[in-house]
Amino acid sequence: MAKKLLGDPINRVDGALKATGRARYSADIKRPGMLHGVLVMSTIANGKITAIDTADALKVPGVVNVMSHQNAPKLAGMDKNKPSEIATDRVLHVFQDDLVHYNNQPIAMVLAETLEQATEGASLVRVTYQTQPVKLPLPAGKADMSTPKQMPRVDDQVDTKRGDLAAGLAAAINRMEETYTTPTMNHNALEPHALLAYWEGDKLTMYNATQGISGCQKRVAEIFGMPKENVRVITQFLGGGFGSKGTTFSHVMLAPMAAKLTGKPVRLVLKREQMFGMVGNRSATVQRLNLATGKDGKLLATAHHSITQTSDFDEFAEPAGTITRMLYACPNLDTTHKFIRANIGTPAPMRAPGEAPGVFALESAIDEMAAQLRMDPLAFRLANYAETDPNKDKPFSSKSLRECYRQGAERFGWSKRPAQPRSLKNGNYLRGMGMATTVYPMNRGESTALVRLKPDGTVQVETATQDLGTGTFTIMTQIAAEVFGLSPDQVTLSAGDSIYPTSSVSGGSRNTASTGSAVTQAAQEVLKKARQMALKDPKSPLFNVAEAEIVVQKGGQLQQKSNPKVGEALTSLLKRNGNKPLEATVQSKQGDEKGKYSMNAFGAVFAEVEVDELLGEVRVTRLLGSFAAGRIVNLKTARSQVLGGMVWAVSMALHEKTVFDPRNNRVMNANLAEYHVPVNADIQEIDGFFIEEADDIVNPAGVKGIGEIGVVGTVSAIANAIYHATGRRFRDLPITVDKVLA
């Protein structure tokens, strides 16, 4: 195989297994004597269970037991089951009491020899309740608003003030104030949440569909009150998660509890309708934006006030206003966050939590102000370009947004866009063009990796990271191969298992920055050991050569930088020095760079839509995104990520909405027939490309996350294009046929 370095679009290392159906997901794993679990869900939103009748369920052939609060194992670590400052640690409902906090909460679990038997048994469990009044979600439930204690990223402030907002508004020539709303949305990965759990003595093994192997191991051990080393979590393959599988939700505890109760392995696979409530969702938002400018179009005042929702038993605040604080230069700014408590399942991180709904509101408002000023929307953004982060008062580690604007506009043909809405037509369709800025902060968590250089010249990498489906396993091999001058097929990755060194969650666009940095640093440490071995070895051509003068070249060759003819292969060096491997384990974590710099990926998204005025149909006919995200490790997987985010944005802009019954907070469209997401026919011409950007400050791998930046600005780009097509603003998502026709 030809040598591939970072950036090359190599195929996924697991691609063949997935394409041929040989990949084994958590729901595919079997154990002898395995039982199947099926959950019984609450049918009220608030109250308590007064009786559970399991007699008929237990009569079903093959049903072994029904676990509920009446017989569930008691958990030693329930003192840890409380709101946490860690966004992925949520309060769990694990049958320790008789209380019901939301409709579709798990309240019992039928265990049987087959899935069919367990399903029939679950349908026969009869539950009696004592009900309490229902606390409604947004937009109805706006009473009793409170201020969150914290944001999901603990270093984000809840509220901020800069300058004097009142003075800025008073001095302005142009002002606008509008309210933007987004609905509750659900993750709906193709693979439902699933796990197999079994005990061997006091040791627990779980094949779990999780975005955070190490975090799941820690959380399960905490709640069980047992040593972390006694919990093993394995995730061989993952069929998507989008944030929902980054949290250890109730079902992850219930399966091992049932295995403990029955003494047998238990497999639990959630039904699609059970994924609406108990495994997180994107909070609905109500956002009020105020913008004010001088006659030159410069922003003088900005206010962004957000109302979101959380459950009545836990706290998760969607951080909708955080990007407004830093995206544009504005001397006077206020941002606030409030939330209401409702009888719903706790919201959780969902692809670009906070940024996706918040930037929809912000970039729609920016477009509205540009229209009011009769300025080109791109020109207005450039007029208010922030050269440094105005919120943190720090320089950016790198910012190539101007180049994203320039190249994106050129490729899209933005200069051909007429200023006047309703100027373009295609037969019966009104055509419109819109754009928006997109941005996502560079997040980084702690990750550890072991790298081992073997005497045969191959490299072994070990880390507990999981592959969400984004290509993590592939790019980790590329990162290690780059350091040693090898081809990725000379690198073997051992991952997807908590027996390997602790790794970060795959969420918040952080895993490449986190685990990739650990692999980079561990590989560099091994290479340093090899250099020192060479310069100390009298038989090496590099004996007594300064360490800084020794570099690695293609094929794992050490060479003298100033005299490339002097050197030797790593294999020769190791063979002469005991023929033993060199290895290093490095825990990588953020240093002081976050205190000195603002670190973000930036981009621009351009959208073209066609709107049928008579039928209300909206078609997104063209999408183009230009992104600057530091070093791109694999062009193929990276492009796939940003395109996937843009498709997600089409879904958010035009389709997705979780509908609650106002009588009992029951989700009325808990299936993929009525909870709409795009199909192939909805996605027409779509493209994304990367601006070359070097950033040695952000992390040792030089990368910024790309999993979420594709969705953030695309939603508002589509909404802005619909305005340009129709001359009407749509501030309430999703933009559906009935709203267009209203």
Side-chain angles (χ1 to χ4, degrees), residues 605-622:
V605 181
F606 298 82
E608 178 188 84
V609 301
E610 291 185 348
V611 182
D612 188 321
E613 276 195 296
L614 295 178
L615 300 178
E617 178 190 24
V618 178
R619 297 178 178 177
V620 180
T621 50
R622 258 197 317 149

Side-chain angles (χ1 to χ4, degrees), residues 49-53 70 126-129:
I49 300 166
T50 57
I52 294 184
D53 183 354
Q70 297 173 336
R126 301 289 177 255
V127 184
T128 306
Y129 305 96

Side-chain angles (χ1 to χ4, degrees), residues 110 207 230 579 671 697:
V110 176
Y207 286 85
N230 285 9
N579 212 33
N671 54 69
I697 295 171

Side-chain angles (χ1 to χ4, degrees), residues 228-247:
K228 186 178 74 170
E229 295 71 25
N230 285 9
V231 179
R232 184 180 180 186
V233 180
I234 303 168
T235 305
Q236 296 178 333
F237 296 94
L238 199 66
F242 313 114
S244 179
K245 293 174 184 170
T247 297

Side-chain angles (χ1 to χ4, degrees), residues 52-59 66-68 70 108 121 124-126:
I52 294 184
D53 183 354
T54 62
D56 289 342
L58 290 169
K59 292 177 184 177
V66 179
M67 185 175 73
S68 69
Q70 297 173 336
L124 297 174
V125 174
R126 301 289 177 255

Side-chain angles (χ1 to χ4, degrees), residues 7 59 299 358 395 498 588 640 643 702 706:
K59 292 177 184 177
L299 286 167
S498 63
S588 181
S640 176
L643 294 186
I706 54 174

Side-chain angles (χ1 to χ4, degrees), residues 176 178-182 360 368 729-733 735:
M176 62 84 63
E178 295 292 349
T179 297
Y180 304 84
T181 60
T182 63
F360 158 66
E368 293 202 48
R729 285 288 173 189
F730 297 92
R731 304 181 183 95
D732 176 41
L733 294 184
I735 304 170

